[in-house]
Amino acid sequence: MSNPIVKCTVDQCTHYMPGDQCMAAKISVYNDEMKGTSSTFGETLCKSFHHRKTMGDMVGALHNANIGGTMSAAFLEGTQITPAVECFVAGCKYWENGNYCNAEQIHVTGSNASKTTDTDCNTFVPKDK
Ligand code: SF4
Ligand code: SF4
């Protein structure tokens, strides 16, 4: 089992923290839900995105916050805080059985995102490439 470092530039998300870090405890990466598969990174999305302008979503976001031990230890050590990554994009070359991602780092993007489908896992590479 492996877990990538998550670099995220989706600053509209409640989990986003300056320094392009994600402070969610866990994120889930999905395919485009209509299509069910992805052939480009634009068809992938971060299901854990919560738009920061919505109050109801803020409660959900707090529920999934990476606070407590992990975060304070990370601050003390000066290391990167990173969520556990679960990924359902089985067509990606970094995907591993058990819904793991074996990339060293993933980059989640989506400028001015207001919903999950506006976000992407930019690190996606089709399996046959
Ligand atoms: S969009 Fe996803 S990876 Fe980025 S901060 Fe939000 S939950 Fe984390
Ligand atoms: S790089 Fe591939 S396996 Fe890893 S999270 Fe992104 S889409 Fe999933």
Side-chain angles (χ1 to χ4, degrees), residues 8 21 34-36 40-41 45 57 64 72 94 98 104 118:
C8 180
Q21 300 196 56
M34 302 295 280
K35 205 175 157 204
T40 66
F41 76 85
L45 56 95
D57 278 352
N64 185 20
S72 41
Y94 296 113
E104 265 178 45
D118 295 336

Side-chain angles (χ1 to χ4, degrees), residues 29 44 85 87 89 92 94-95 100-103 106 121 123-125:
V29 180
T44 66
V85 176
C87 179
V89 185
C92 175
Y94 296 113
W95 188 84
Y100 296 117
C101 169
N102 71 16
I106 64 168
C121 175
T123 309
F124 168 85
V125 177

Side-chain angles (χ1 to χ4, degrees), residues 42-58:
E43 292 171 327
T44 66
L45 56 95
C46 176
K47 188 77 177 169
S48 309
F49 169 83
H50 281 275
H51 198 229
R52 69 163 91 179
K53 293 200 180 91
T54 318
M55 259 331 258
D57 278 352
M58 273 193 69

Side-chain angles (χ1 to χ4, degrees), residues 75-129:
F75 271 131
L76 287 174
E77 292 162 20
T79 50
Q80 165 99 32
I81 298 158
T82 206
V85 176
E86 151 189 74
C87 179
F88 297 92
V89 185
C92 175
K93 83 167 189 186
Y94 296 113
W95 188 84
E96 263 181 18
N97 276 334
N99 299 326
Y100 296 117
C101 169
N102 71 16
E104 265 178 45
Q105 178 173 297
I106 64 168
H107 188 186
V108 180
T109 54
S111 53
N112 288 319
S114 61
K115 52 191 187 308
T116 55
T117 47
D118 295 336
T119 65
D120 304 310
C121 175
N122 220 292
T123 309
F124 168 85
V125 177
K127 231 170 205 153
D128 49 6
K129 292 282 153 65

